[in-house]
Amino acid sequence: MKNRHLRKALVATAAITAGLLMTACQSSTADSSSGTSGTGTAAVAEKASDAKNSKNSSDAKNAKGSKNSSDAKNAKGSKNSKGVSGSFKNGKVTYLAPGKYIVSVPGKGDQQFLVADDTEVYGAGTICGDAGSKVDAPCTLDQLESATKKAAVSADVEMRNGIATLVTERRASQQGNGGKGVNGTWFGNVSYLAPGKYTVSDLKGTEQQFLVAEDTKIWGYGDICGDSNTSEGGQGGTECTEAELEAAAKKGFSAEVVISNGIATTVRDDH
């Protein structure tokens, strides 16, 4: 009888011990699953998420740095790039590709150039306009392209950084093919037409076109430049620059213009 009670006591003790062990295991497992332990599933997922976010942040930072570096490089390259600038007189303009042309000038060879939306084009019968008119007609870039696709066009080209600012068709009398430009002396109002190109009207109001050259003498007596006081003690006639002539002609002034072969030898404002 005593032995039976002893066995029951041992069995009960073993059952209680097993229950306590199972409760401890379940608590440990729950703690690990809830992330309180560094070895649980949630902790692994959290570490993976942190690594991904860190990588994305690094990638974004690198991409931004790469973009800024590229932008700076491109901006610097654009700023430093410069094309040819200058005047190409008595040239032949030939079509090369859309928006791209060649001007061939004796003694200078061939020079490529581009056109832009603000490129001014004037025609005298070939690009556009009427060959019989004394005033050049403003043309479109499409008309320039169409004309030069057919054949080279005699023209003067003003260029800045490889882009034409002005393309002016030369008249048959200006092309050096046996013809000659206008000669004579005109008294009238001088008006600006285009860089290096002007008109002077006679007493009947008929306009005569003329060009200026580096050796054109420009004398001012108060209208172009200088002083209108030509008496003793006054400044008298002053030799002016082409920039001063252009500024005055844009407003309009009266002058005596001596023209030889279409080019002004002297422009003297009417004092």
Side-chain angles (χ1 to χ4, degrees):
M1 188 72 173
K2 185 177 180 180
N3 291 336
R4 189 189 313 172
H5 286 300
L6 182 59
R7 285 197 301 270
K8 286 182 178 181
L10 291 174
V11 170
T13 301
I16 292 171
T17 302
L20 291 175
L21 289 175
M22 289 180 64
T23 302
C25 289
Q26 289 174 354
S27 176
S28 176
T29 303
D31 289 343
S32 297
S33 299
S34 63
T36 57
S37 172
T39 58
T41 304
V44 173
E46 183 177 353
K47 289 181 178 180
S49 177
D50 290 344
K52 182 178 180 181
N53 291 337
S54 175
K55 182 177 184 300
N56 290 341
S57 175
S58 176
D59 289 345
K61 183 177 180 181
N62 291 338
K64 183 177 180 181
S66 175
K67 181 178 184 298
N68 291 340
S69 175
S70 177
D71 289 346
K73 183 178 180 181
N74 291 337
K76 182 178 180 182
S78 175
K79 182 178 180 181
N80 292 336
S81 60
K82 289 186 178 181
V84 174
S85 299
S87 299
F88 296 81
K89 304 290 186 181
N90 303 318
K92 292 277 189 181
V93 175
T94 305
Y95 175 82
L96 186 61
K100 184 178 290 187
Y101 299 83
I102 293 176
V103 58
S104 303
V105 178
K108 288 188 177 181
D110 296 346
Q111 176 59 53
Q112 283 189 30
F113 67 91
L114 304 174
V115 294
D117 290 340
D118 58 351
T119 299
E120 295 183 57
V121 182
Y122 291 91
T126 302
I127 301 176
C128 73
D130 185 0
S133 174
K134 292 184 178 181
V135 179
D136 292 343
C139 309
T140 66
L141 294 178
D142 288 340
Q143 289 172 319
L144 172 64
E145 179 175 314
S146 178
T148 52
K149 277 182 176 179
K150 296 175 183 176
V153 176
S154 296
D156 299 332
V157 179
E158 296 289 334
M159 206 177 301
R160 184 178 299 158
N161 292 336
I163 300 174
T165 57
L166 176 67
V167 178
T168 306
E169 179 186 341
R170 293 180 63 81
R171 297 177 180 275
S173 60
Q174 300 174 330
Q175 294 175 15
N177 57 357
K180 290 185 177 181
V182 174
N183 296 281
T185 301
W186 276 260
F187 298 89
N189 190 61
V190 175
S191 300
Y192 173 82
L193 185 61
K197 183 174 289 189
Y198 303 82
T199 62
V200 55
S201 59
D202 59 19
L203 296 176
K204 297 180 180 180
T206 303
E207 292 184 327
Q208 174 58 53
Q209 213 176 108
F210 67 91
L211 305 173
V212 295
E214 291 180 357
D215 57 351
T216 298
K217 298 297 182 183
I218 305 170
W219 292 97
Y221 293 84
D223 288 335
I224 305 175
C225 71
D227 192 343
S228 59
N229 183 9
T230 58
S231 60
E232 186 176 352
Q235 182 180 1
T238 302
E239 191 164 5
C240 311
T241 66
E242 186 177 343
E244 290 172 321
L245 170 63
E246 181 176 311
K250 285 181 177 179
K251 300 175 182 177
F253 66 93
S254 296
E256 173 190 283
V257 182
V258 180
I259 301 175
S260 176
N261 198 25
I263 299 174
T265 58
T266 304
V267 178
R268 187 188 307 268
D269 75 40
D270 187 4
H271 58 284

